[in-house]
Amino acid sequence: QGQLVESGGGLVQAGGSLRLSCAASGRTFSTYAMGWFRQAPGKEREFVAAISWRGGRTYYADSVKGRFTISRDNAENTVYLQMNSLKPEDTAVYYCAAADSFGPQLLVPTSYDYWGQGTQVTVPS
């Protein structure tokens, strides 16, 4: 059974940067598409970014396009989310997830087979 563990969250001032990591264990996720979602208090889980299993294709939410970059290192079984120019509205718990195919369906949480436990990102206003 596979497991995903996020790290790298924290408190950062507006305009700052963070890099989230998602380490996979228990099975290889190198052939899985990977995604990042976030959920703020009282709101639904929101798509952030997704990447194909080779890393050649990506999707981004309009709200993070140009500020966030998703990448992966299959040799390390790790996916990253580089977040720059952070804003207070980026405050949320960030989750990584794995899906067995890549496509526009990755914008929907129900398309994913595995989820991590989440890491908190806080950007004070």
Side-chain angles (χ1 to χ4, degrees):
Q1 191 73 350
Q3 185 178 12
L4 302 174
V5 179
E6 301 94 336
S7 61
L11 188 149
V12 62
Q13 297 302 312
S17 298
L18 280 176
R19 188 176 81 156
L20 305 184
S21 299
C22 173
S25 63
R27 65 167 297 148
T28 180
F29 285 94
S30 60
T31 59
Y32 277 69
M34 301 295 293
W36 286 96
F37 284 75
R38 65 187 182 187
Q39 189 165 17
K43 295 188 176 181
E44 292 188 353
R45 193 163 295 192
E46 173 190 31
F47 171 78
V48 176
I51 189 167
S52 60
W53 71 275
R54 284 182 174 175
R57 292 178 290 172
T58 56
Y59 291 130
Y60 290 97
D62 287 342
S63 59
V64 306
K65 209 170 286 184
R67 299 189 299 123
F68 291 11
T69 302
I70 188 171
S71 62
R72 66 189 300 162
D73 183 339
N74 286 339
E76 296 293 329
N77 232 8
T78 302
V79 178
Y80 302 99
L81 185 68
Q82 177 67 43
M83 305 187 296
N84 299 328
S85 302
L86 283 160
K87 305 175 181 180
E89 50 264 44
D90 295 319
T91 295
V93 177
Y94 282 71
Y95 299 89
C96 72
D100 63 4
S101 62
F102 184 82
Q105 74 279 3
L106 291 180
L107 275 64
V108 178
T110 53
S111 297
Y112 292 81
D113 305 299
Y114 297 90
W115 288 87
Q117 84 291 343
T119 186
Q120 177 72 45
V121 172
T122 302
V123 187
S125 55

